Amino acid sequence: MSIRNSERFLTAYNRIEKSMEKTIGLSGYMPFFKLIDRAKKVNAVVKKFEDDLREYAGLRNAIVHHRTEIEYAIAEPHDDIVELIEYIDRELSKPKTVGEIFQRKVHSLRSSDTLDKGLKLILEKRFNQIPIYEDRKFIGLITTEGITYWLADQYAKGNISREIPTLLDIYRHENKKNTYRFINKGLSVYEAEEYFKESVVRGKRLDALLITENGLIEEKLLGIITPLDLIKID
């Protein structure tokens, strides 16, 4: 006997309710809408799917309060609704991490490398950012935007010459250097997305999130996330 969509929906709904209660450390009862308000402040998955969860609260009430028989529910959710609420339930229980999705080989260069080496890597790999190091110490990110501004500034000053600058020269010219943040590989993709959103709200540019084992600058880079990367998986 197949399980009805209404039963699948209610099972996922109840599990989500329990997850939110656990998130905020609730031991008693709280209305679902208030649970959302509290949980979204500390859980990026709830914040991501807030609108959907609020709609599902109404659908849940229609199923439960208008049931006329044990075997009959007045509202049977569509397949896509059931699939999404079950997906939200899974993500609350075990959200996808940045390490699972974005961990890959990171190409970096030395600060003493010349601009032409950086441009070749950008052209070959289609990168927008390149991490640069000096004696294994992380210096910062060289960005395509930073290179463009450097070239424009040199042209405006009439300083264009045959001498090829180093990547450190480019980086020193960049006004906004701290446009990155180190994160640990266990961070959820939803929390990573929130970092970019918060940077927009604060008016502080964030070009990339740099993944390491524990989110420490001295650790090996395991991956880089840009805003465009997160848009692609949405």
Side-chain angles (χ1 to χ4, degrees):
M1 180 179 177
S2 61
I3 301 175
R4 296 189 305 276
N5 277 0
S6 57
E7 296 301 325
R8 289 173 59 192
F9 177 90
L10 289 175
T11 298
Y13 182 96
N14 291 336
R15 286 170 58 90
I16 289 170
E17 187 172 38
K18 294 297 182 184
S19 291
M20 289 195 295
E21 290 173 350
K22 183 178 180 180
T23 294
I24 64 173
L26 182 69
S27 57
Y29 169 75
M30 180 178 288
F32 196 78
F33 285 108
K34 288 188 177 181
L35 270 178
I36 295 172
D37 289 334
R38 290 275 301 277
K40 73 177 183 180
K41 295 177 182 178
V42 294
N43 189 297
V45 179
V46 175
K47 189 171 184 178
K48 170 76 173 181
F49 296 102
E50 176 184 358
D51 292 340
D52 297 299
L53 291 173
R54 292 187 184 280
E55 289 184 7
Y56 294 159
L59 179 53
R60 180 262 181 191
N61 290 338
I63 295 173
V64 173
H65 297 306
H66 296 92
R67 188 191 294 266
T68 56
E69 300 176 20
I70 294 178
E71 296 297 325
Y72 175 73
I74 196 170
E76 282 293 333
H78 290 294
D79 290 344
D80 57 342
I81 297 295
V82 174
E83 290 167 4
L84 180 54
I85 195 172
E86 289 178 337
Y87 175 78
I88 296 172
D89 173 32
R90 290 194 299 272
E91 290 300 292
L92 271 173
S93 300
K94 190 179 179 183
K96 292 188 291 290
T97 67
V98 294
E100 291 171 333
I101 297 179
F102 296 107
Q103 185 166 332
R104 61 178 68 91
K105 180 181 178 181
V106 178
H107 295 267
S108 62
L109 293 174
R110 297 189 301 267
S111 60
S112 58
D113 286 331
T114 57
L115 174 58
D116 64 333
K117 190 168 184 178
L119 291 174
K120 287 176 182 178
L121 186 58
I122 289 171
L123 182 62
E124 178 186 349
K125 300 295 183 180
R126 301 296 177 181
F127 291 155
N128 291 319
Q129 300 92 9
I130 302 174
I132 59 170
Y133 285 79
E134 185 174 304
D135 297 328
R136 297 187 178 182
K137 179 183 178 182
F138 179 80
I139 300 299
L141 287 179
I142 293 293
T143 67
T144 52
E145 184 178 12
I147 293 172
T148 301
Y149 280 129
W150 182 87
L151 288 169
D153 189 51
Q154 298 305 302
Y155 177 80
K157 293 177 179 178
N159 290 339
I160 296 295
S161 68
R162 293 181 179 275
E163 184 178 348
I164 300 176
T166 66
L167 293 177
L168 186 59
D169 293 329
I170 304 295
Y171 183 71
R172 284 172 174 166
H173 182 269
E174 177 67 64
N175 290 325
K176 296 181 179 179
K177 293 183 172 65
N178 297 321
T179 60
Y180 55 84
R181 177 170 183 163
F182 281 84
I183 58 174
N184 73 79
K185 69 176 186 179
L187 192 78
S188 79
V189 293
Y190 303 99
E191 291 173 287
E193 186 177 22
E194 283 301 308
Y195 285 146
F196 285 113
K197 289 180 179 178
E198 289 170 5
S199 72
V200 173
V201 172
R202 296 196 310 267
K204 182 177 174 60
R205 189 173 114 196
L206 182 62
D207 289 321
L209 295 174
L210 308 179
I211 306 169
T212 65
E213 184 73 26
N214 300 294
L216 302 177
I217 190 172
E218 62 269 19
E219 295 178 318
K220 178 183 177 181
L221 273 180
L222 302 177
I224 298 178
I225 309 174
T226 68
L228 183 58
D229 291 326
L230 289 171
I231 290 173
K232 289 177 179 178
I233 67 166
D234 256 355

